[in-house]
Amino acid sequence: MKILVPIKRVIDPYAKVKPLADGTGLDLGNVKFDINPFDEIAVEEAVRQKEKNSEIQIIAVSIGGAEVEEQLRKALAMGADEAIHVETTDQLDPSIVAKELQAVTEEIQPDIILMGKQATDNDNNQTGQILAARLGWPQATFASHVELGDKSATVTRETDTGEETILLPYPCLITTDLRLNEPRFIPLPGIIKARSKPLHKRERQTTDTPRVAVLDYVAPAGRSGGKKVGSVDELITELKAKGVVS
Amino acid sequence: MSRTLLIAFDAGDALNGAAFCQQTGAYDVIQVMGEPKLDLGAETVTTWNLPSQPPAEYLANALKDVCANYTRIVAVSSMQAKDGLARLAGLLDWPMITDVIELLGETKFKRPILAGSVITTVELNASTCLLTFRPAGFGQPTIGGNSKHESIKPTFTGVTKRVSATVREGGRPDLSSAKVVVSGGRPLKDAETFEKVIGGLADALGGAVGATRAAVDSGIAANELQVGQTGKIVAPDLYIAAGISGSTQHMAGIKDSKVIVAINTDGDAPIFDAADFGLVMDLYEAVPELTEKLKK
């Protein structure tokens, strides 16, 4: 069984990122980059499944410039068997990424694609669903528990009103939510071993250009809060004056 | 000619989505569950009246053909909207824009990135698109109109099978559209205490209950109560945060609330900078006192 895990290099999700003063981009001066946390959860899940079933082969894939090799090596260190680097410096959007991943999928024919529900930089939450639709595969987004059977995956997924469990025949696509697992700390031998694992490079297969352009970046309007009250009674008086309690 | 189709997953979506759609011009609605409650100016309201939400695969397959009649397919931002509309984007090969917070004409939109710490203006370079939007920024809809109503049974195809689903316990209003939300954080020590203290104040105010990610992760509140960038985005008239420090992630989900109240023992917690009214007090004293006094 093959699991394909697409990963994205993103701005460190814990960094405080501000727009440039002229609004033309983000101030990335000292910002670090990492695997998108939801994709890291996907790698972790694939590795845990492999620990239960040694027949599983895990292939990580990333699209971007030479720098994404760092994130692919991390996925290999976590336990992926091989990596594919789709080399490009082009501007991408979720639809282009899905089309490139479709080309990779058609070539290596995985049984399962496991990927993050969204990337923490652009917060689009689209790529997995677009890819599943293009492949004609069933999808389970927002996964919080995954069981892989012989012919199908049983996935518990978070919903707006709680959770549901669905059954997807293979091949299928699963996107991960926060509560699926906590990615492991990578031991040193894993990092060393990752250096000798295969990392294949390939070119883009499609020629689409983004259909949505970002025109500017600004900081959100702040709230002018900060007033303190001294007691519950004072709070109630203020809330009544605002008309939000009666 | 621009024409919008609103996918309303229930009557709440139809209401919450109407103000946005009225700003885009002529629109139709497909309502997946429930019956339309109010006339909100749509030209045609098509009711599916399903007993439960269909998996995204079925939903997208059923909607694919009808989309050719529209230039915009829109839905109020929610997990099911992102699940279903992005799949539809893949079937149609249309671009999609997630979490629109402001309309700047027909092809320009504002949307947050990086967990709400930056707002971008984006431009659509295509004639058609799908989008999800957060209703808070679009005001109240005009009530009234002369919608044509029809009811159809959609044709569903797909291989996904639902094994089981949890259903929300009734009683409290929906978190995403409630006028009052009372949320609790990690200091609420267990699920029982959380329900008694936070639930008690919410019930006294007729409001919904919310929670921080830390409270959900530690098992004292249910997943679907999580408020924040990775949970629900709320914009009530009154948001009361008890025992919440105010992480960026959480603030991104509440910043459009009209009035924010923070109750926390740590007077330096970042939530006090954003709160309209801050009370530096132990929540176990303050919240029950507030509950008692507001009940009267």
Side-chain angles (χ1 to χ4, degrees), chain B residues 121-296:
Chain B
T121 304
V122 298
E123 184 171 38
L124 174 70
N125 297 311
S127 54
T128 55
C129 81
L130 298 106
L131 60 87
T132 60
F133 60 93
R134 295 183 182 165
F138 299 98
Q140 294 300 316
T142 307
I143 310 276
N146 193 19
S147 302
K148 188 178 133 215
H149 289 270
E150 56 185 42
S151 181
I152 65 154
K153 201 167 179 285
T155 310
F156 283 133
T157 53
V159 296
T160 313
K161 284 199 180 71
R162 182 178 282 133
V163 180
S164 63
T166 59
V167 180
R168 181 182 28 225
E169 300 295 319
R172 289 189 182 131
D174 178 49
L175 184 54
S176 305
S177 54
K179 296 282 178 211
V180 176
V181 174
V182 183
S183 285
R186 185 70 187 84
L188 277 303
K189 58 178 183 289
D190 53 40
E192 197 183 330
T193 312
F194 186 91
E195 170 54 29
K196 190 171 154 227
V197 176
I198 302 300
L201 178 55
D203 291 344
L205 291 164
V209 170
T212 60
R213 187 184 148 192
V216 170
D217 284 350
S218 60
I220 61 177
N223 293 347
E224 66 270 22
L225 300 184
Q226 186 177 322
V227 172
Q229 181 69 16
T230 52
K232 299 229 163 69
I233 306 293
V234 301
D237 291 341
L238 174 60
Y239 187 85
I240 301 179
I244 293 177
S245 62
S247 67
T248 312
Q249 201 279 128
H250 188 75
M251 299 312 292
I254 70 167
K255 63 182 171 48
D256 293 323
S257 306
K258 206 182 282 173
V259 174
I260 296 177
V261 172
I263 300 169
N264 201 311
T265 44
D266 175 9
D268 294 325
I271 194 157
F272 286 116
D273 298 332
D276 298 273
F277 304 110
L279 179 59
V280 182
M281 199 170 155
D282 185 345
L283 74 92
Y284 290 110
E285 290 172 32
V287 176
E289 184 185 343
L290 192 57
T291 306
E292 273 313 302
K293 287 180 171 164
L294 289 173
K295 261 189 200 166
K296 283 172 190 166

Side-chain angles (χ1 to χ4, degrees), chain A residues 11 14 16-19 26 38 95 99 117-118 120-126 129-134 136-142 144 154 157-169 177-179 208 210-221 223-233 235-236 238-240 242 244-246, chain B residues 56-57 78-80 82-83 86-87 89-91 93-99 108 111-126 159-168 205 213 216-217 223-224 226 229-230 232 237-238 248 254-261 267 272-281 286 289-290 293-294:
Chain A
I11 296 165
Y14 304 102
K16 284 257 173 218
V17 180
K18 292 199 172 87
L26 298 169
F38 295 108
S95 159
K99 287 172 189 176
K117 67 168 181 177
Q118 70 192 66
T120 54
D121 51 2
N122 290 331
D123 290 333
N124 280 312
N125 197 325
Q126 296 175 20
Q129 296 92 307
I130 294 173
L131 177 58
R134 292 188 64 85
W137 292 9
Q139 73 190 42
T141 51
F142 308 106
S144 58
T154 304
R157 56 185 297 274
E158 299 192 12
T159 67
D160 295 293
T161 54
E163 58 181 38
E164 66 175 10
T165 300
I166 57 177
L167 195 90
L168 312 173
D177 214 324
L178 276 179
R179 281 174 274 272
D208 294 33
R211 291 175 290 186
V212 179
V214 182
L215 301 181
D216 64 38
Y217 301 77
V218 297
R223 285 186 70 93
S224 52
K227 182 170 181 176
K228 296 254 172 78
V229 293
S231 67
V232 168
D233 289 331
L235 177 61
I236 292 172
E238 293 280 11
L239 294 180
K240 282 184 175 165
K242 284 273 187 187
V244 290
V245 302
S246 50
Chain B
E57 183 191 14
S78 64
M79 294 166 86
Q80 62 201 5
K82 287 170 182 174
D83 190 34
R87 186 168 180 105
L91 293 183
D93 195 13
W94 288 12
M96 175 160 168
I97 302 171
T98 304
D99 291 335
K108 284 186 193 171
R111 64 173 300 266
I113 61 167
L114 293 162
S117 56
V118 173
I119 307 296
T120 60
T121 304
V122 298
E123 184 171 38
L124 174 70
N125 297 311
V159 296
T160 313
K161 284 199 180 71
R162 182 178 282 133
V163 180
S164 63
T166 59
V167 180
R168 181 182 28 225
L205 291 164
R213 187 184 148 192
V216 170
D217 284 350
N223 293 347
E224 66 270 22
Q226 186 177 322
Q229 181 69 16
T230 52
K232 299 229 163 69
D237 291 341
L238 174 60
T248 312
I254 70 167
K255 63 182 171 48
D256 293 323
S257 306
K258 206 182 282 173
V259 174
I260 296 177
V261 172
F272 286 116
D273 298 332
D276 298 273
F277 304 110
L279 179 59
V280 182
M281 199 170 155
E289 184 185 343
L290 192 57
K293 287 180 171 164
L294 289 173

